[in-house]
Amino acid sequence: MKIILLGYMASGKSTIGKLLAENSKMKFIDLDDFIEKKEKKTISFIFKEKGEVYFRLKEHEYLKELLNKKEDFILSLGGGTPCYAKNMDIVLANKNTVSIYLKSTIKTIVKRLEEDNSERPLITNLSKNDLVEFVSKHLFERSFFYEQANIKVDINNKSIKEIVEEIRVFL
Ligand code: S3P
């Protein structure tokens, strides 16, 4: 089985995916890391030098490459992956694949984005007020895609361990 983790930026997709993979003795792949390795460039560099459209094309291409593999793994998507190029339809149509939405409130996301120093090209230049506004609107638009996942897990006020245990019940 392929387990696909999705959700907004800073919802813990990679951290949860790694621990879930460890506990389930499965391979873990992070789509952003996979893109960076294949392209030999960081995501920030790709956004800056080639633009978001190029990034979305590559994201789509590498997602399909991974889903076409015979092997099983846990894959964490980028926050925007389900929302472009019919990627969510492709995930849902793929055999032996279960998709899990790590669902969080605007408040949790904003707090985490403020605490997390990872480079995120979409939000780097936003002030606190603008960030709240941006996340509110963006999450509203993206929820349409996220909500199509097979399983939804509320991650608010839960530890990584608790979330992983909750996910394992479904698998
Ligand atoms: C993006 C999220 C990022 C990365 C890129 C675009 C998005 O991944 O794919 O910066 O559109 O939400 P994370 O969700 O892992 O931060």
Side-chain angles (χ1 to χ4, degrees):
M1 188 160 61
K2 290 181 180 56
I3 299 167
I4 314 288
L5 298 178
L6 57 103
Y8 201 75
M9 287 181 268
S11 56
K13 300 178 292 286
S14 307
T15 318
I16 292 163
K18 267 180 216 152
L19 187 63
L20 187 62
E22 228 176 85
N23 291 356
S24 322
K25 308 241 173 320
M26 283 179 78
K27 180 176 174 180
F28 172 71
I29 304 170
D30 178 277
L31 183 59
D32 281 340
D33 291 348
F34 189 79
I35 297 171
E36 289 189 339
K37 265 187 221 128
K38 287 277 193 170
E39 293 289 299
K40 300 189 179 69
K41 293 175 190 91
T42 65
I43 302 292
S44 296
F45 185 87
I46 299 173
F47 264 76
K48 220 169 18 199
E49 298 299 313
K50 306 252 187 175
E52 183 172 351
V53 174
Y54 177 87
F55 172 76
R56 296 300 171 196
L57 286 170
K58 288 293 152 189
E59 183 180 46
H60 175 66
E61 193 180 306
Y62 292 128
L63 172 69
K64 281 200 297 186
E65 181 180 323
L66 287 168
L67 292 177
N68 281 335
K69 286 184 192 282
K70 291 243 154 45
E71 58 175 331
D72 291 343
F73 48 74
I74 294 174
L75 172 68
S76 68
L77 303 183
T81 317
C83 319
Y84 294 91
K86 295 206 163 42
N87 290 338
M88 195 62 209
D89 291 346
I90 294 170
V91 167
L92 291 170
N94 210 64
K95 274 199 207 120
N96 299 322
T97 298
V98 59
S99 50
I100 305 175
Y101 172 23
L102 304 178
K103 191 169 177 171
S104 47
T105 60
I106 296 164
K107 201 172 154 207
T108 304
I109 290 170
V110 170
K111 187 165 170 276
R112 286 180 176 214
L113 285 172
E114 281 173 336
E115 286 165 0
D116 184 344
N117 296 324
S118 316
E119 279 197 38
R120 291 195 162 92
L122 290 177
I123 56 159
T124 30
N125 297 319
L126 299 180
S127 68
K128 158 94 191 185
N129 273 349
D130 288 348
L131 184 63
V132 176
E133 178 70 25
F134 179 85
V135 172
S136 310
K137 185 169 173 279
H138 213 201
L139 184 63
F140 177 71
E141 289 163 357
R142 287 182 166 190
S143 295
F144 168 78
F145 299 95
Y146 297 156
E147 291 285 348
Q148 295 176 40
N150 303 126
I151 297 169
K152 288 148 218 170
V153 176
D154 180 340
I155 62 149
N156 296 291
N157 306 312
K158 289 179 192 158
S159 70
I160 298 295
K161 221 173 134 224
E162 283 171 326
I163 300 165
V164 167
E165 273 159 22
E166 209 173 302
I167 294 174
R168 290 198 66 183
V169 173
F170 291 108
L171 305 176

